[in-house]
Amino acid sequence: MSNAVIADKPRSTLRGASLPKWSPYAIAAGSVGLGLGISAAAGLNSSIQWALMAAVLFVLGTYVIAARVEGRRQAKDRVATALVWVAFLIALVPLISLVWTTVVRGVKVLDFYFLTHSMGLVSDTEPGGGIYHAILGSLEQVGLATVIAAPVGVLTAIYLVEYGRGNLAKAVTFFVDVMTGIPSIVAGLFILSIMLMFDMQPFGFAGSLALAILMMPVVVRSTEEMLKLVPNELREASLALGVPKWRTILKVVLPTSIGGIATGIMLAVARIAGETAPVLLLVWGNSLINPNPFEGAQASLPLYIYQQYANSAGSGAAYDRAWAAALTLIAFVMILNLVARGIARWKAPKTGR
């Protein structure tokens, strides 16, 4: 009898009415339709205007509907989420526009011939030519910069995290922060001043030195943050077993954070791959293939894009080559980011048993 009474008694719940999961999509679709309708009625031809109206209507509609169904408190939470989505879409618009424009205009001349031939004797206003010399120059200059900057940056970060105490560590940290904000042209002028002192001619390795200066603070900062994430318990356990500190760093700390360190290095490489100002000052560019970065002027992809646009004289062929080289550079940076993500996932600490 008591069981029947308990079964018939209504259950209390703390959950009130809530909107279905598909409601944000319905509100968004209604906002877009209403924004298009208002734009058509007002005679507005700009897609930016109706998109902004649709965004405002989406936020207002979310608040009004959520307030009537779920209450004002939950409505404020949904409005905050809607604002985050609107900000994300606004930030995504220029990125998509940039990539779309580059792809549409870059595929006109981007083919196997374009990737495997240099400009040679082809004039900037004539059709033909390619970017093989620029690709070779970029790979050598960025590669040499990485060989210089990556070990120095990683070792500096190890010193700051594992050994750094006192005024010297504070001074190193301060100058790393300052170097992070140095414009690329300043690094180029610094190397150029050294070249003028020794009466040196432009060559590829000079550009690598300037790129290494720009790359070092990024590597130091990213590596430092990764090393700080390693639990101190791992260090203490190794030291408790009598392992020297240098061996603890080499065998415990670095393997634990190697995924994040590799990701930071790859992102730093992607950051310097598109620099033009230092290369313009120190390398000067070359329409012929120069495989020796230690002698003579060289080309690079950013410099090639700039020169094709600056020396085009209104030539459509030069514009097409510049867009194709820009698309190649974007693909190069994208590949580096994908490699960094793959390394980070591969070397990430395994969870569970």
Side-chain angles (χ1 to χ4, degrees), residues 10 13 27-28 62 71 102 106 141 145 154 161 201 207 251 284 325 327 349 351:
T13 178
I27 296 173
T62 299
T102 306
Q141 294 161 26
V154 172
V161 176
Q201 297 298 319
K251 296 295 185 179
W284 277 29
L327 180 58
T351 59

Side-chain angles (χ1 to χ4, degrees), residues 97-176:
S97 176
L98 172 65
V99 174
W100 176 257
T101 303
T102 306
V103 170
V104 170
R105 303 194 63 171
V107 295
K108 293 181 180 179
V109 297
L110 185 60
D111 53 18
F112 184 75
Y113 178 88
F114 183 75
L115 296 174
T116 56
H117 287 74
S118 67
M119 288 299 294
L121 301 178
V122 179
S123 173
D124 290 335
T125 58
E126 297 176 354
I131 59 171
Y132 175 76
H133 62 302
I135 294 176
L136 181 63
S138 286
L139 291 177
E140 290 182 347
Q141 294 161 26
V142 173
L144 289 172
T146 305
V147 170
I148 297 171
V152 175
V154 172
L155 292 175
T156 303
I158 292 174
Y159 165 76
L160 292 176
V161 176
E162 303 294 338
Y163 298 98
R165 300 292 185 274
N167 294 329
L168 179 59
K170 292 179 181 179
V172 172
T173 302
F174 172 75
F175 283 111
V176 167

